[in-house]
Structures are given as structure tokens and as C-alpha cells.
């Protein structure tokens, strides 16, 4: 057992033995419900691996080691290991957008129908949260827009409360001119950004 | 009624930063199967559909058991059986463009799907598993953490 090859073999066997004892963690990148694919980087003290294609998988066992080189996750491993977690995935949220006249909390006529649609969805599914966010376009001061966006969001909140929605489910935020539907430079009037988004989960 | 008006007033005054305030739920349990519990401080509470999740809660599923949670930014994470997870950092303040999401996956199986934080500030999302961290840039991931 003194020649270099058998020494190396012993070392490899040792590593295999050790790694089979250690718990192994797997990270797999998959396509999201919109058909998009993001990226994920897995980092340990010993190195990192980038996942960038659907099905890319790397494994981690023990801290000093680098994550394993990227391989394609076997479909049967995914199906067996993640069956329960995948079945428990929450339904994708339903988003509604309500539009407003410039500088006001006056809702467009079509948006009144959206309120009815929101109430229908709330009755149909077991709703656990309703997130209301107010937005403005990029005209006016930040301070004015922050206040206007909040007033728009609170108006919608009140309409839902008047229709019997449980206030505990609702969270309200004001984005001011932030997070626009259609990005514009400052000072540009853009009707599509004067809105409230309601996300029903 | 007075109390309600007072609360509403507080809500109006603080509405825009509601998410950032410690003490507000960071999300809810949306789906549930079998037994799910929440470890909050020293107490263990039973989880059910609609149960709010707070910062630092440890969510634990039994075997059999599974749960799906939704954070206020729309991030969803589901847990398979015999799994444990906590939200160790959460900040969703779009107006101030302040975002942070750190999820600690202790053991079990998980499906992670990024929400608005992942979309608006991809670098603000960090998932950690024993011995590694995962920077998830706007995506869906399957994670298995084997128990010791």
C-alpha cells in the first residue's frame, strides 16, 4: 500500500466515505410560473456554483467543501423528494389594477367593475391577504404623490371594508411615484401609473 | 368605536411604512396539510390557514405535514413534511426602496418562488441552508436540506 496510486485510491475512498456520512443538501433551479428562469448562486466557505438553466442542481455537504459541480437534477429525484412541498405551493395571487383621474382620488368608471371582481374573487377562494398599494405618475412633488397614493389606496380599502371584507386581511402601502407600471422620466403625466394595485392571495 | 377610529388614525398615519414596523405580520399561512406549528419565542402555536407569520417565527411541519406561506411582498415558500424554516430578516418598504429578505431553511424540503423583493431588489434576497447561502435572483428554486 505504499505506491502513490493506492494512496490516492485510499484518499478518494475516504472522501467518498466521509461525504456519504454527511447530510447532503440540494439546490435546484426551475422555471417559474411565468415561464421565466432566474439565476441562483450557491456559496460555501470553499467555493460557489452558479445555477442558470432549468434543472441545474448543485449539492452541498459540509462547510469547507465547495458546492458540487452543476448537474441536471434527475426528474424522478424531484418528483419523489418535492411532491408534498410542490402540492402545498400557494395559488398564484390575483392582481387587479384600478385607475384614477390626474391629481385626484376619483376612480375611472371601468375601475368600479374591478371592485366587484375583487369582491367576487374574495368570496370564491379562501383569502388570506389583500395587499393594496397606491401609486401616482411622476408629476408633482414627492410629498404630494406619497400622500395622494396613500389616499387612493385607503379609498379602495374603505370600499372593500364597506362590502364586508375582514380588515385583518388588508395591508396598505403607498409607493408615491415609485414602482410605476410604465416607467417615465420625472414630470411626465402617465395615466397608467395613476393607479391602485390590489393583490388578492 | 373610539378605539377603532384611533386604530384607523394610527393606520393612516403609519400606513406607508406599515411593512417596516416590527410587530406587523410578514406573511400568512396560505395552505396547510397535516400538522404545522409555529415556534414564537418560547411558545409553540398551532398553525392553520390564515395564521399570520412574524419575523423570527420558526415554522415547523410534522410528518406527514406540509404548508405554503405567502409573504406580504408576494414571495411564496412551501414546506414539505418534517421541515423547518424561519424568516430571519424581512423589510418591504417600496417607497423608500428598502428591501431585505433572509430565509433560513433548517431542514426538510422547500419550494421558493420570489416575490416583489426579488423583482425590485434581487441582491436583497438571501436564503441560507446549513453550510451554504443561496443568492436567488428572481426565480423559483427547490431546496432539500437533509437532517443530521
Amino acid at each position: 500500500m505504499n505506491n502513490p496510486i493506492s494512496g490516492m485510491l485510499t484518499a478518494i475512498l475516504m472522501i467518498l466515505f466521509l461525504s456519504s456520512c454527511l447530510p447532503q443538501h440540494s439546490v435546484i433551479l426551475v422555471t417559474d410560473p411565468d415561464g421565466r428562469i432566474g439565476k441562483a448562486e450557491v456559496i460555501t466557505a470553499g467555493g460557489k456554483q452558479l445555477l442558470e438553466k432549468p434543472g441545474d442542481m448543485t449539492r452541498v455537504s459540509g462547510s469547507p467543501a465547495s458546492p458540487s459541480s452543476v448537474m441536471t437534477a434527475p426528474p424522478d429525484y424531484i418528483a419523489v423528494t418535492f411532491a408534498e412541498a410542490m402540492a402545498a405551493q400557494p395559488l398564484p395571487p390575483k392582481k387587479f389594477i384600478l385607475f384614477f383621474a390626474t391629481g385626484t382620488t376619483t376612480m375611472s368608471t371601468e375601475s368600479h367593475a374591478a371592485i366587484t371582481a375583487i369582491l367576487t374573487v374574495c368570496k370564491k377562494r379562501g383569502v388570506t391577504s389583500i395587499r393594496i398599494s397606491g401609486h401616482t405618475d411622476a408629476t408633482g412633488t414627492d410629498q404630494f404623490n406619497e400622500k395622494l397614493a396613500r389616499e387612493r389606496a385607503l379609498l379602495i380599502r374603505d370600499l372593500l371594508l364597506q362590502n364586508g371584507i375582514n380588515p385583518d386581511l388588508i395591508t396598505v402601502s403607498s409607493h408615491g411615484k415609485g414602482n410605476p407600471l410604465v416607467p417615465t422620466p420625472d414630470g411626465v403625466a402617465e395615466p397608467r401609473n395613476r393607479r391602485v394595485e390590489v393583490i388578492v392571495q | 368605536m373610539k378605539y377603532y377610529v384611533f386604530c384607523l388614525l394610527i393606520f393612516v398615519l403609519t400606513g406607508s411604512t406599515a411593512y417596516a414596523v416590527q410587530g406587523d405580520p410578514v406573511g400568512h399561512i396560505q395552505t396547510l396539510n397535516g400538522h404545522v406549528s409555529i415556534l414564537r419565542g418560547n411558545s409553540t402555536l398551532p398553525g392553520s390557514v390564515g395564521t399570520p407569520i412574524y419575523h423570527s417565527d420558526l415554522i415547523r411541519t410534522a410528518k406527514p405535514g406540509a404548508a405554503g406561506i405567502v409573504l406580504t411582498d408576494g414571495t411564496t415558500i412551501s414546506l414539505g413534511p418534517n421541515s423547518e424554516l424561519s424568516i430571519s430578516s424581512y423589510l418591504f418598504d417600496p417607497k423608500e426602496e428598502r428591501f431585505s429578505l433572509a430565509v433560513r431553511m433548517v431542514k426538510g424540503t422547500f419550494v421558493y418562488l420570489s416575490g416583489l423583493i426579488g423583482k425590485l431588489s434581487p441582491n436583497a434576497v438571501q436564503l441560507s441552508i446549513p453550510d451554504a447561502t443561496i443568492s436567488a435572483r428572481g426565480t423559483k428554486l427547490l431546496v432539500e436540506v437533509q437532517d443530521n
Side-chain angles (χ1 to χ4, degrees), chain B residues 14 17-26 54-55 90-92 98:
Chain B
T14 60
T17 51
Y19 297 136
V21 177
Q22 181 110 26
D24 280 329
V26 301
Y54 292 86
H55 177 262
Y90 187 81
L91 179 61
F92 180 53
R98 293 191 302 163

Side-chain angles (χ1 to χ4, degrees), chain A residues 174-186:
Chain A
S174 165
H175 295 223
K177 68 175 182 192
N179 201 12
L181 200 59
V182 181
T184 67
D186 264 351

